[in-house]
Amino acid sequence: MSSDSIRPRPTDNAFTGPLRGGAKEPTYSGALSFMRRRFTRELAGVDVAVWGIPLDAAVSNRPGARFGPQAIRRASAIFDGDPQYPFARDPFAELAVIDYGDCGFDYGRHAEIPACIAAQAAEILAAGVHLVSLGGDHFVTWPLLQAHAARHGPLALVQLDAHQDTWGDDGDRLDHGSFVSRAVRAGLIDPARSIQVGIRTHAPEACGIEIVDGYTFQELGVRATVDRILARVGDSPAYLTVDIDCLDPAFAPGTGTPVAGGLSSAQALMLVRNLAAVDWRGMDVVEVAPAYDHADITAIAAATFVQHYLGLLAERRG
C-alpha cells in the first residue's frame, strides 16, 4: 500500500480548497465555512456568494438570531463532496460558490444598519454574483430587497413563513414584522406576483399578496401548492425568503417566534425542489436562533434550504 493511499484527507478546504468541486475533508474537522466553500472577498470568477448577516436587533420575541449564520455554517458541514440529494450532482462542479463572510456594521448605531446591509449587498450584486444570505432576523430582508430590486427591478416574492410581516411602521424603526408591507409600498416587490406559504397568524393587511396559510397548505399538499406558486410568479424575476419558523416547532425549535401547525422540513424542502422553473435572483434564510435549538435540528433544516437552492441554480446552469 502506498503512502498516498493512507494519507489523511485534506482539511481546511475553506482556506485552501479550489473554487469548484466539493470538499473531501471529514465533516467534523476543518474551518466551518458554508458547505466548505472558500472564505474570500474576491468576487472575480464567482457565481454565488453565501453571506451572513448576524443581526437580531429587530426581534419582537426571543433574541438570538445573530448567531444564526454561525449555526447554519456549522450544520452545513454534513454536506461533503458527494453528489447532493436530491439533485444527484455536485453543485460546485457547475457553480463557483464562496463564503463571503459576514456583513459588517456598528451594532450600537441601529439607524445606520439597514444602509450598511444594502450597500454591501449591492457591491456583491454589482459584480454579477448571485447572493444567498444567512440571517439574522427577518428585518434583514428589507435592505436585501432594496439591493436586489435596484439591480433587477420589482421582484416576485416567494415567502415561506408563519407570519405575513405586513404590520405597519414609520419606515425608520427596525422591526422583523413589517418588511413586506414596507417593500410593497416602496415598489420593491410586485404583490400581484408574490405569494406567502405556511402563514399561521393574522396581520392587519395582505398587501395584495396571495396567501396559502398553514391549514390550507396541509389540505392542498406540496404539488398543488407548487402549482399555485408557479402560476403566481410566472416569468417574473423572483426572490425567495425562508423564515425558518415556516416549519412546525417539531422541525425548527430554534427560532424566536415559533408557531405550531407548520410545515414539516420534508414538505418545505420538496416545495423548494420543485421550483426550478422560477427565475430566481436571490435568496435568504432567517430567524435561526441556536440557543433554543436541539441537536442542530433547526440549523440543519436551514442549511438544507440553502443546499437545495444552490442545487436549483446548478441544475439550471448544467
Side-chain angles (χ1 to χ4, degrees):
M1 180 180 294
S2 71
S3 59
D4 286 344
S5 66
I6 60 173
R7 185 168 297 171
R9 301 168 79 184
T11 59
D12 287 336
N13 195 79
F15 295 108
T16 64
L19 274 180
R20 294 187 181 274
K24 299 297 183 184
E25 60 193 290
T27 59
Y28 50 83
S29 68
L32 295 177
S33 62
F34 186 80
M35 288 182 71
R36 305 291 189 182
R37 296 303 87 205
R38 185 193 298 177
F39 271 121
T40 181
R41 292 293 174 100
E42 296 296 325
L43 295 172
V46 171
D47 298 310
V48 182
V50 180
W51 185 47
I53 310 177
L55 174 74
D56 64 0
V59 297
S60 56
N61 195 37
R62 304 188 301 195
R66 68 181 61 186
F67 299 108
Q70 288 181 352
I72 296 168
R73 287 183 173 107
R74 182 176 67 251
S76 76
I78 62 173
F79 301 115
D80 60 15
D82 296 330
Q84 298 293 316
Y85 180 84
F87 300 93
R89 69 171 71 217
D90 174 5
F92 308 124
E94 309 289 346
L95 298 171
V97 181
I98 63 167
D99 190 318
Y100 197 74
D102 285 349
C103 179
F105 50 79
D106 185 338
Y107 69 88
R109 299 184 182 275
H110 287 188
E112 299 176 4
I113 291 175
C116 288
I117 297 172
Q120 292 171 52
E123 290 179 3
I124 298 169
L125 296 175
V129 175
H130 197 105
L131 179 58
V132 174
S133 301
L134 313 176
D137 66 51
H138 218 159
F139 175 81
V140 304
T141 305
W142 160 247
L144 288 170
L145 286 172
Q146 287 180 303
H148 283 81
R151 182 166 182 84
H152 302 297
L155 297 156
L157 182 70
V158 178
Q159 179 180 351
L160 307 187
D161 207 325
H163 309 88
Q164 293 172 247
D165 297 328
T166 56
W167 293 87
D169 64 34
D170 59 7
D172 293 322
R173 64 196 302 270
L174 272 65
D175 186 341
H176 69 162
S178 59
F179 82 91
V180 173
S181 53
R182 194 186 290 192
V184 171
R185 291 196 304 270
L188 305 183
I189 63 177
D190 179 359
R193 290 292 195 178
S194 298
I195 187 167
Q196 298 173 322
V197 177
I199 304 301
R200 305 187 297 286
T201 54
H202 294 295
E205 56 181 328
C207 295
I209 296 171
E210 182 176 352
I211 296 172
V212 179
D213 65 61
Y215 291 169
T216 300
F217 170 81
Q218 297 298 338
E219 293 170 351
L220 289 173
V222 172
R223 183 66 262 171
T225 304
V226 167
D227 291 341
R228 281 203 184 186
I229 295 171
L230 295 177
R232 185 72 171 182
V233 173
D235 59 0
S236 297
Y239 187 92
L240 175 64
T241 182
V242 178
D243 187 325
I244 204 65
D245 70 25
C246 72
L247 303 181
D248 189 88
F251 302 93
T255 191
T257 315
V259 182
L263 284 64
S264 72
S265 54
Q267 289 171 325
L269 290 164
M270 287 170 67
L271 273 180
V272 174
R273 171 64 185 104
N274 285 282
L275 296 176
V278 176
D279 182 12
W280 298 115
R281 302 301 177 91
M283 180 257 190
D284 64 55
V285 59
V286 299
E287 298 285 356
V288 173
Y292 316 109
D293 207 1
H294 174 71
D296 287 337
I297 294 171
T298 311
I300 290 168
T304 309
F305 275 116
V306 179
Q307 178 258 351
H308 272 45
Y309 184 81
L310 294 175
L312 294 181
L313 298 183
E315 194 171 60
R316 174 169 291 213
R317 174 69 63 86

